[in-house]
Amino acid sequence: MPASDAAPATATGETAGETTAPAAGFREEALYGLRAAVPLAIAVFGFAVSFGIVARAAGMGVLAPVVMSLTTFAGSAQFAAASVLGTGGGVAAAIVAAVLLNSRYLPIGISVAPAMTGGVLKRFLSAQLVVDESWAVGHVGNGRYSRGRLLGAGVLVYAAWVGGTAVGLFGAHYLGDPERFGLDVVSPVLFIALLKGQITSRKALAASILGIAIALALVPFASPGVPLIAATAACLLGLRK
């Protein structure tokens, strides 16, 4: 989903982007991440319900969207794929849209790599839980990340996403149009919440505004996913001394 990227205020009142003293061990850090991700997981659940409804309406059936959520675990990419298929687009176009949206996980993965300890398989499985929300919660300051917080938050968000998808799929007949319940605004609100914690300077604010402007300018003309990728060019402002 993922759609997204910042350090929001946690459930305990701290800001994930601030430097905080690490807990005694992995268990404590994981529990911290779990608690901090509760409000984000609620939003993710609503977003997932909306995806389930959209996927069912797009003719994807029941099994495919559930498997997609279990393996892909990327809200914005899954929405893009469902939207392309629902409007008559081909499978190739849906895959390209999803890949474009998920390309942001390359820099995210690089940033958390030092925190992912263990063998190749352990690191691979742990990386599956690194999404926008867990990435924000797992940040402990100065570019450092806590593996415990990343995984604690990731497990909760993963459960919310898969569970919400199932609810949306099986309840699509009763729920109807997701806009009736305001589920269509869950994703934008979630990403605004994630962004809020990162706007700590004029440069960050300028980069955020520029990114939004680029994306909005391209939405009417570009293919799904392209506006998001183009908007990342705004982060180049951070290179200026």
Side-chain angles (χ1 to χ4, degrees), residues 229-240:
I229 300 302
T232 60
C235 70
L236 296 176
L237 286 176
L239 296 178
R240 296 185 59 185

Side-chain angles (χ1 to χ4, degrees), residues 22 62 103 113 154 158 207:
V62 175
S103 62
Y158 182 79

Side-chain angles (χ1 to χ4, degrees), residues 51-69 72 77-87 89 91 94 165 169:
F51 166 70
I53 296 173
V54 170
R56 188 72 178 266
M60 294 178 65
V62 175
L63 181 60
V66 171
V67 173
M68 192 179 191
S69 287
T72 305
Q78 291 181 228
F79 253 106
S83 299
V84 170
L85 294 174
T87 54
V91 174
T165 299
L169 285 167

Side-chain angles (χ1 to χ4, degrees), residues 11-93:
T12 59
E14 294 179 302
T15 300
E18 294 176 352
T19 304
T20 55
F26 175 81
R27 175 184 171 85
E28 290 77 9
E29 288 284 87
L31 289 175
Y32 178 95
L34 191 72
R35 291 193 300 269
V38 169
L40 298 176
I42 294 173
V44 167
F45 180 84
F47 188 32
V49 171
S50 185
F51 166 70
I53 296 173
V54 170
R56 188 72 178 266
M60 294 178 65
V62 175
L63 181 60
V66 171
V67 173
M68 192 179 191
S69 287
L70 285 168
T71 58
T72 305
F73 187 31
S76 56
Q78 291 181 228
F79 253 106
S83 299
V84 170
L85 294 174
T87 54
V91 174

Side-chain angles (χ1 to χ4, degrees), residues 168-193:
L169 285 167
F170 294 106
H173 177 72
Y174 303 100
L175 294 173
D177 188 348
E179 292 186 9
R180 290 173 52 201
F181 305 98
L183 295 179
D184 56 313
V185 302
V186 169
S187 179
V189 170
L190 173 60
F191 283 103
I192 289 173

Side-chain angles (χ1 to χ4, degrees), residues 142-159:
N142 298 325
R144 296 179 298 108
Y145 290 84
S146 161
R147 179 173 174 270
R149 296 187 187 189
L150 283 165
L151 300 188
V155 166
L156 183 61
V157 173
Y158 182 79

